Amino acid sequence: MILLKKRGRPVPIRRWIGIAACAVLLGFPGRSAAQTLHAGELRKSRQSVPTRQRFWLDKSVFITSDFEHRNIPTELAKWMRARGIAASNAFNKARGRIVFVRVEAVEGATGSDAWRIEVKPRSITVSFTTENSLRQTVEMLQSMVERDPGGKYYIQGGMQAGWGSRTTARDYDATADAATSLRPVSDLEAAVKRLGGKSKEVYLILVNAESWRMESPSLERAGSAKQLYPADGYYSIRQLRLLADAARRSRVEIIPTLELFAENRPLMTAFGHSIFSVEGMRFVRAAIEDCVEMLRPSKICLGRLSPQTDMRYLEFISGLASMLNVELVIIES
C-alpha cells in the first residue's frame, strides 16, 4: 500500500497513481557507534574572547563529565599526568576543576558540532553538542596548554567557541533529522520521545541528498564505505535498533525516511551511478532492504517526489515496497 502523507492523511492508491503521473508530467518543486575527526582536522575557534586570567595546572585538577562520557575525563587525566600535571578523574580536594557538559545548543553557533570552552581561574567549563564536538573540545584543550618561563603549566583564560560548516539538524512537526549532522543516540531518543508526544508516528531522516547516516552492509560489500558515509560518522545497526526499541517502549512508531526521490550525492560518489539508472536502482533496492531488515518497520518513507522521478522509478519503488510488505509513504509538496 502507498500513502501520501500530508498531516498524516492517507490517500487511496488510485488517486496516488494519478498524482504521481501529474508529478512526472508537470514536475514538483525541488526540495531546497559515531566516528570522529582526527587531531589533524582540528577546527579553529570561530569566537574567541581572551582575558588576562589563567587556569594554573600546578595544583591537582579534578576532571568530570556525565556517566555516558566518563571515559573522556580518564583519557584527559592520563594525557595530563604524562606531562607531569597532577590530574584526576576521581573526586578529591583539587583546586581546579574541568567539567564537560553536553548541551542542546551553543549560543551564537550557526552550524553543526558546536562547542564552547570557558576558562576561569578556578574552573573550565566545556560545553558540547555532539560526539564530534566533544572530541574537538578535548583536542582544543590539549592545544591550549602552555608553559610559563618558570616551567609552570597553565591555560589562558577567556572563552572560545566553534562549530562545523554544515547546517545544524532541525526537528520539525513529526520529523527527527538524523541526517544533516551526526547526533548522539541519546539526543535522538529524546527527540523521538518529544515528537511522539504529539504524534505516535515519528519520521526519522537517516538519508538525505548530502548525507548517508544509516549503516548499509549490502552497499559496503558492493563498494567503498569511505565514500558513502560522511567523514564524521554514521549510525550503526546496533544504535538504530536500540533507538527503535526505545521508541516502542514509549509507544512511538519510527518511520525510517530515506530521501531517495531525488539524486543522492553519496551514492553517486561511491558507485558512480544515478539512482534513477538501472545500476543505481540496484543500490537503492539494497539500501531499502537493509533498512527494512534492520528496523522491521511497518512503513518506510522516501521523502518528496522531485522532477527527476519518472513513472519507471515509481513503479520500481512501489513493487519493492509491496515485495517487502511495508507501506510506502510519499510526502506531498
Side-chain angles (χ1 to χ4, degrees):
M1 181 179 178
I2 302 170
L3 301 177
L4 276 177
K5 177 185 177 290
K6 187 173 184 180
R7 297 180 181 176
R9 180 171 54 86
V11 179
I13 185 168
R14 288 184 181 177
R15 182 184 166 195
W16 174 85
I17 292 174
I19 292 174
C22 291
V24 174
L25 293 173
L26 302 177
F28 277 83
R31 194 179 170 189
S32 327
Q35 300 176 10
T36 56
L37 297 173
H38 299 293
E41 299 172 293
L42 181 65
R43 297 191 188 102
K44 294 181 180 179
S45 60
R46 294 175 182 263
Q47 293 179 353
S48 181
V49 183
T51 66
R52 292 187 176 183
Q53 299 173 329
R54 290 180 175 181
F55 179 89
W56 290 99
L57 297 167
D58 58 335
K59 302 293 183 180
S60 183
V61 179
F62 173 45
I63 309 171
T64 185
S65 72
D66 59 19
F67 183 78
E68 181 182 356
H69 302 98
R70 60 191 180 281
N71 62 309
I72 295 299
T74 303
E75 292 175 5
L76 185 57
K78 183 178 179 181
W79 182 88
M80 287 186 170
R81 287 195 296 268
R83 286 152 182 79
I85 302 169
S88 173
N89 61 310
F91 182 78
N92 53 37
K93 296 182 179 180
R95 293 185 59 188
R97 297 183 177 237
I98 300 176
V99 182
F100 287 85
V101 182
R102 188 173 72 82
V103 296
E104 292 296 325
V106 170
E107 184 178 359
T110 59
S112 59
D113 303 329
W115 55 268
R116 174 189 170 102
I117 299 175
E118 187 173 6
V119 182
K120 296 180 179 180
R122 297 288 297 272
S123 67
I124 296 177
T125 302
V126 180
S127 304
F128 62 94
T129 56
T130 66
E131 300 301 309
N132 232 19
S133 60
L134 171 59
R135 180 56 58 183
Q136 286 285 302
T137 59
V138 173
E139 293 168 358
M140 181 61 73
L141 267 182
Q142 291 171 345
S143 71
M144 291 167 65
V145 175
E146 300 181 56
R147 209 169 188 178
D148 72 357
K152 294 182 179 180
Y153 288 103
Y154 69 92
I155 295 177
Q156 190 64 45
M159 184 281 293
Q160 294 195 49
W163 54 88
S165 58
R166 296 191 317 280
T167 303
T168 306
R170 301 289 183 185
D171 298 329
Y172 55 93
D173 297 332
T175 302
D177 183 2
T180 301
S181 61
L182 192 66
R183 302 167 64 174
V185 175
S186 57
D187 181 34
L188 287 177
E189 284 184 11
V192 168
K193 187 174 182 179
R194 182 179 68 256
L195 295 169
K198 301 177 181 178
S199 169
K200 290 303 179 183
E201 292 182 342
V202 173
Y203 291 76
L204 180 68
I205 303 177
L206 297 172
V207 172
N208 63 21
E210 297 296 325
S211 298
W212 196 285
R213 296 287 182 185
M214 175 187 74
E215 182 179 359
S216 304
S218 297
L219 297 184
E220 290 178 13
R221 291 192 291 269
S224 174
K226 291 182 179 179
Q227 293 178 304
L228 179 67
Y229 302 129
D232 60 340
Y234 56 90
Y235 306 102
S236 68
I237 292 174
R238 179 177 178 276
Q239 287 175 316
L240 291 176
R241 283 178 174 168
L242 288 174
L243 179 60
D245 290 342
R248 291 188 189 99
R249 287 195 295 271
S250 298
R251 297 183 179 180
V252 176
E253 180 183 4
I254 286 181
I255 300 177
T257 301
L258 316 180
E259 297 183 343
L260 294 173
F261 277 138
E263 198 59 83
N264 185 270
R265 186 188 60 79
L267 210 63
M268 174 78 82
T269 301
F271 302 107
H273 295 285
S274 164
I275 64 172
F276 302 106
S277 68
V278 174
E279 285 295 320
M281 286 193 287
R282 290 175 54 196
F283 298 123
V284 169
R285 172 175 177 163
I288 293 175
E289 288 177 343
D290 279 350
C291 182
V292 172
E293 173 66 25
M294 183 193 323
L295 299 177
R296 301 290 183 184
S298 62
K299 301 176 184 177
I300 190 167
C301 178
L302 296 192
R304 288 179 170 85
L305 293 173
S306 76
Q308 300 166 301
T309 312
D310 58 20
M311 283 301 297
R312 180 178 58 96
Y313 188 78
L314 287 170
E315 289 172 358
F316 155 70
I317 293 295
S318 174
L320 179 59
S322 177
M323 184 189 72
L324 296 174
N325 197 30
V326 293
E327 293 182 7
L328 174 62
V329 180
I330 300 174
I331 298 176
E332 291 184 274
S333 296

